[in-house]
């Protein structure tokens, strides 16, 4: 009885919830039905239900393809690099920004650092080519004048990986730091004052107050990031990659694009997508479990 | 599944009602379902109409694909311009048809058609140059058999295309109408005459001489610090002419068994000479004779830029592109940018017999098709039939005399006025029944092609086009039907082939062998072996 009256009393709230729920239902849950394509010999003209079941045939086909493993390896490699170099970057930046005294400068710096986040990858790709091309790129022209040989930023494996990672950091570091900055503002100022009185140096304060203060945030984001290990954006590897480094720039998303959209093999593409989702789920659950065991923080 | 759908629509309806309550002013005729299929709502009158076919007085809608290349003049779009108005007025209105053009981005053609075919929203009349895609739709039952409809409604089509109609027959069924291609020349090369004069060198006539000339260009840095003796991009117009000139096998058997077809091109990947060709390019690359950044230049923009800025000595491009565009042609731009620049046509590459073996097009253009779910197949054929008339072709290609073109020696030559630009900017994508205009004979076509070039370049443009015909071989060689494996792997093969090219050309000379073999093995393992197997089987069956 009590419960019912509560619902009746706040019925507007429930009505308002319908839209977001409908969104998730229609756009996130209904399409799950389409996953069945992965187990069918999908004929686009017959439709999903009329296509024949083929069991795990499609998966067998994928797991026998060398290019699939290459794409999978590259996905882990590029995401791994992002995790090692890209994940700490916004934390360090947020801590640095936090230590700034001059508020005006801090604001300006922040805004400038956010900006790249709003530039589309297509445009960044254009800039990257202008700046890093071996022969006519700005940096290499400069190096040439300095008498240093051209560095193949875009065509040699290791140089390309460095370019890929650093461009990614440049693009996202400012944006990523927002959430940490917000977490830092939540730390009690008295702790800093007390530490200062006790004679703690700046580094000590960062180490013993700031970092523990944002630990929860770091862990939550870290778990999410781990869950995304098999999931990789399409634009960045697709645009910054080129033929010379395709052995390293071809990732699952570009693989799916090529197989699914360009070659019209929807079953294969769906199967890879499903595989990606399952591995992603395993990763995120594992990360969460480990984190709960070791630090007592988790997201589920 | 049904239950799911019902639930979905129920939810959607509820949502929509909610939106209405909240203060939407729109009328309440649509339920959730209707709304979500907005574009299909016109299907309702269609089905009633099917029963009284031909002489129907009811107006129907025909949706036709058109490429969007982003080149429409200001204020116009590819779906709404003077030409679409012309078609509506002259074909649509008399036949009680509303023509709706559907823009498909040129570079995303296959992706968007694949998606639209799968979703059942593709236009009634679609076209593509990609035979593999056309075949794979046909195979899955996605295309309408046009044979009987053409018999009934397409006399002009039959007349106009005659033998070319056979290119659209897959396994005995006319799944596509294949446009005619008039100009079959593929690639042309130009060399900087002023550079040759400065070095007192003749125009090279053999591969060996060309190589020496390129070296001389490099040594004297005639284009400044950034001299690029040989233009090169990661595009067929750069690698095909060179590669084919190294191929030592010419029999049909070799072409069936040791080359593969990717898209509309033949790649002699296993033929004797293929490796030599790449080794030669590798040598050019390592000696700095070809564009060092070629692998980044897939759209050929850099290649053209380098040429018009005067950095390039020997320029290879698709036939006609260097002189096309009247006053703004590539060569005109070069002459404007670099004082004293002068070019002459050249046949730079010779094969083992001293011939200039090079690829040429088949006389077939794009594949025009009607999806099986379309209910407007008849109207689509009527549309093509209407287009296949001389006066329509004339208008769609050249517009009106005096306004859009002038008659020169009896040929309609575009006057590059604003009016002409407005009407004809995408003429090739609208006049889909033919690719290029046929004036009746190759000589006449050449004469016309020459007239469309600015006067001072007419002569060299003509020679350049003639050169492109020399020892040219129509490609690709065709089986009775496209191959399943080639349709499946066309994208993958092209990528692997590009990798093969880039890796072997950019390898250090002493590791060339190793790199080439590894990349070739990769190509074969990924798709090549399967394709060659199918080709062999099919060839055996054909014998």
């Amino acid at each position: 009885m009590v419960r019912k009256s509560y619902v009746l009393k706040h019925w507007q709230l429930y009505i308002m919830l319908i839209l977001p729920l409908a969104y998730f239902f229609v756009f996130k849950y209904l399409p799950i039905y389409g996953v069945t394509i992965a187990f069918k010999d999908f004929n686009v003209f017959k439709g999903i239900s009329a296509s024949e079941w083929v069991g795990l045939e499609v998966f067998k086909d994928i797991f026998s393809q060398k290019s699939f493993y290459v794409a999978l390896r590259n996905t882990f490699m590029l995401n791994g690099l992002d995790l090692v170099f890209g994940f700490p970057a916004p934390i360090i930046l947020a801590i640095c920004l936090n230590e700034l005294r001059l508020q005006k400068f801090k604001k300006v710096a922040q805004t400038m650092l956010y900006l790249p986040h709003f530039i589309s990858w297509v445009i960044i790709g254009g800039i990257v080519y202008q700046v890093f091309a071996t022969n006519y790129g700005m940096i290499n022209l400069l190096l040439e004048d300095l008498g240093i040989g051209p560095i193949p930023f875009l065509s040699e494996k290791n140089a390309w990986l460095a370019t890929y990672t650093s461009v990614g950091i440049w693009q996202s570091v400012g944006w990523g730091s927002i959430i940490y900055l917000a977490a830092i503002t939540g730390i009690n100022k008295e702790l800093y004052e007390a530490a200062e009185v006790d004679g703690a140096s700046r580094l000590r304060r960062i180490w013993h107050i700031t970092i523990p203060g944002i630990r929860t945030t770091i862990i939550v984001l870290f778990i999410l990031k781990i869950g995304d290990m098999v999931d990789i954006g399409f634009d960045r590897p697709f645009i910054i990659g080129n033929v010379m480094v395709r052995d390293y720039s071809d990732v699952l998303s570009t693989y799916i694009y090529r197989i699914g959209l360009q070659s019209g093999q929807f079953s294969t593409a769906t199967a890879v997508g499903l595989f990606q989702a399952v591995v992603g789920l395993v990763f995120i659950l594992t990360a969460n479990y480990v984190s709960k065991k070791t630090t007592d923080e988790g997201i589920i | 599944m049904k239950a799911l759908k019902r639930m979905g629509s129920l939810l959607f309806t509820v949502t929509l009602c909610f939106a209405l309550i909240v203060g939407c002013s729109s009328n309440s005729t649509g339920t959730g379902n209707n709304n979500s299929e907005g574009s299909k709502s016109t299907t309702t009158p269609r089905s009633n109409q099917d029963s009284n076919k031909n002489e129907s007085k009811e107006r129907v809608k025909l949706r036709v694909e058109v490429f969007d290349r982003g080149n429409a003049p200001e204020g116009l779009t590819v779906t709404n311009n003077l030409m679409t108005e012309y078609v509506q007025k002259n074909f649509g209105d008399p036949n009680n048809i509303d023509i709706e053009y559907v823009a498909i981005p040129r570079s995303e053609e296959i992706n968007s058609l694949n998606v639209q075919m799968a979703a059942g929203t593709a236009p009634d009349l679609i076209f593509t140059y990609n035979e593999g895609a056309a075949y794979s739709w046909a195979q899955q039952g996605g295309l309408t058999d046009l044979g009987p409809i053409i018999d009934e409604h397409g006399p002009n089509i039959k007349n106009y295309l005659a033998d070319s109609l056979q290119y659209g027959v897959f396994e005995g069924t006319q799944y596509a109408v294949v446009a005619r291609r008039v100009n079959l020349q593929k690639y042309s090369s130009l060399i900087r005459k002023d550079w040759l004069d400065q070095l007192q060198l003749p125009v090279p006539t053999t591969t060996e001489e060309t190589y020496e000339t390129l070296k001389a260009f490099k040594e004297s840095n005639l284009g400044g610090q950034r001299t690029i003796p040989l233009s090169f991009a990661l595009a067929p117009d750069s690698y095909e002419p060179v590669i084919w000139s190294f191929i030592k096998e010419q029999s049909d058997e070799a072409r069936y068994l040791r080359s593969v077809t990717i898209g509309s091109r033949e790649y002699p990947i296993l033929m004797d000479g293929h490796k030599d060709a790449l080794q030669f390019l590798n040598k050019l690359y390592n000696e700095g004779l070809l564009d060092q950044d070629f692998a980044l230049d897939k759209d050929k923009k850099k290649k053209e830029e380098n040429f018009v800025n005067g950095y390039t000595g020997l320029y290879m491009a698709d036939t006609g592109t260097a002189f096309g565009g009247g006053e703004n042609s590539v060569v005109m731009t070069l002459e404007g940018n670099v004082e004293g620049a002068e070019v002459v046509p050249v046949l730079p590459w010779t094969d083992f017999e001293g011939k200039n073996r090079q690829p040429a097009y088949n006389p077939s253009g794009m594949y025009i098709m009607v999806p099986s779910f379309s209910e407007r197949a008849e109207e689509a054929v009527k549309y093509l039939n209407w287009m296949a008339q001389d006066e329509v072709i004339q208008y769609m290609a050249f517009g009106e005399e005096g306004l859009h073109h002038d008659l020169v020696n009896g040929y309609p030559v575009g006057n590059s006025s604003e009016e002409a630009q407005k009407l004809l900017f995408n003429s090739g994508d609208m006049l889909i029944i033919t690719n290029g205009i046929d004036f009746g004979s190759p000589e006449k076509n050449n004469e016309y092609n020459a007239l469309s070039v600015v006067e001072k370049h007419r002569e060299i443009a003509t020679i350049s086009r003639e050169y492109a015909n020399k020892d040219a071989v129509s490609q690709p060689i065709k089986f009775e039907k496209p191959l399943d494996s080639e349709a499946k792997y066309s994208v993958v093969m092209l990528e692997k082939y590009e990798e093969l090219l880039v890796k072997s050309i950019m390898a250090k000379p002493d590791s060339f062998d190793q790199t080439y073999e590894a990349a070739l093995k990769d190509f074969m393992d990924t798709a090549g072996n399967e394709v060659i197997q199918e080709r062999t089987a099919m060839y055996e069956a054909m014998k």
Side-chain angles (χ1 to χ4, degrees), chain A residues 68 71-80 224-233 251-254 256 272-284:
Chain A
F68 169 74
L72 185 63
R73 181 203 69 192
N74 291 343
T75 308
F76 281 126
M77 181 170 69
L78 296 184
N79 276 335
L224 289 175
K225 191 100 186 168
I226 294 277
D228 281 346
M229 269 304 271
V230 264
D231 208 9
I232 189 159
V251 293
L252 285 178
S253 54
T254 53
I256 291 175
V272 177
L274 181 61
F275 169 82
Q276 214 174 354
V278 170
V279 178
L281 187 68
V282 171
F283 265 72
I284 201 163

Side-chain angles (χ1 to χ4, degrees), chain A residues 171-187:
Chain A
Q171 193 257 0
S172 61
V173 68
W175 186 254
S177 66
I178 293 181
I179 198 157
Y180 295 111
L181 280 170
I184 291 172
T185 14
I187 300 170

Side-chain angles (χ1 to χ4, degrees), chain B residues 63-192:
Chain B
R63 298 172 73 233
V64 179
E65 172 188 348
V66 63
F67 282 147
D68 190 349
R69 299 174 196 261
N71 62 348
E74 227 180 307
L76 299 175
T77 62
V78 288
T79 54
N80 185 10
N81 54 54
L82 299 179
M83 190 60 86
T84 60
E85 277 168 26
Y86 168 81
V87 174
Q88 182 60 47
K89 209 177 114 206
N90 290 278
F91 168 72
D93 294 342
N95 291 297
N96 241 334
I97 296 170
D98 277 324
I99 300 180
E100 183 193 314
Y101 286 94
V102 180
I104 302 275
R106 178 67 186 94
S107 52
E108 290 285 298
E109 167 203 7
I110 286 299
N111 307 350
S112 50
L113 281 179
N114 264 337
V115 171
Q116 295 196 21
M117 288 297 272
T121 56
D124 298 305
L125 196 65
I126 56 171
F127 54 78
T128 175
Y129 284 104
N130 190 317
E131 189 190 17
Y135 176 66
S136 107
W137 295 326
Q139 231 186 354
Q140 297 186 56
L143 298 179
T144 305
D145 176 9
L146 297 175
I149 310 178
I150 294 177
D151 284 341
E152 194 180 341
H153 299 285
N156 297 339
I157 303 179
K158 281 187 161 175
N159 238 334
Y160 184 74
L161 293 177
D163 290 346
S164 321
L165 263 180
Q166 65 171 20
Y167 288 109
V169 176
F170 298 142
E171 290 169 334
T173 310
Q174 185 91 46
Y175 280 121
V177 171
V178 179
R180 222 156 106 178
R181 187 188 277 280
V182 177
N183 298 307
L184 306 181
Q185 301 86 355
K186 226 169 178 180
Y187 306 118
S188 298
S189 302
L190 296 171
I191 196 164
R192 286 285 292 274

Side-chain angles (χ1 to χ4, degrees), chain B residues 293-360:
Chain B
D293 278 336
F294 77 93
L296 298 178
D297 186 21
K298 283 181 87 163
D299 57 8
K300 308 187 265 188
K301 283 218 175 84
K302 267 285 179 235
K303 187 188 73 162
E304 191 178 310
E305 204 181 297
N306 290 332
F307 179 66
V308 299
N309 284 327
Y311 305 142
T312 310
L314 177 56
Y315 180 65
M316 302 188 287
D318 294 319
T319 300
T321 52
F323 297 105
E327 292 293 329
N328 302 319
S329 74
V330 172
V331 178
M332 285 298 276
T333 316
L334 166 74
E335 288 177 357
N337 285 347
V338 183
E339 207 178 322
E342 197 189 341
V343 294
V344 286
V346 58
L347 276 169
W349 318 113
T350 40
D351 68 1
F352 70 110
E353 295 176 318
K355 287 192 173 167
N356 301 99
R357 194 175 187 216
Q358 53 185 330

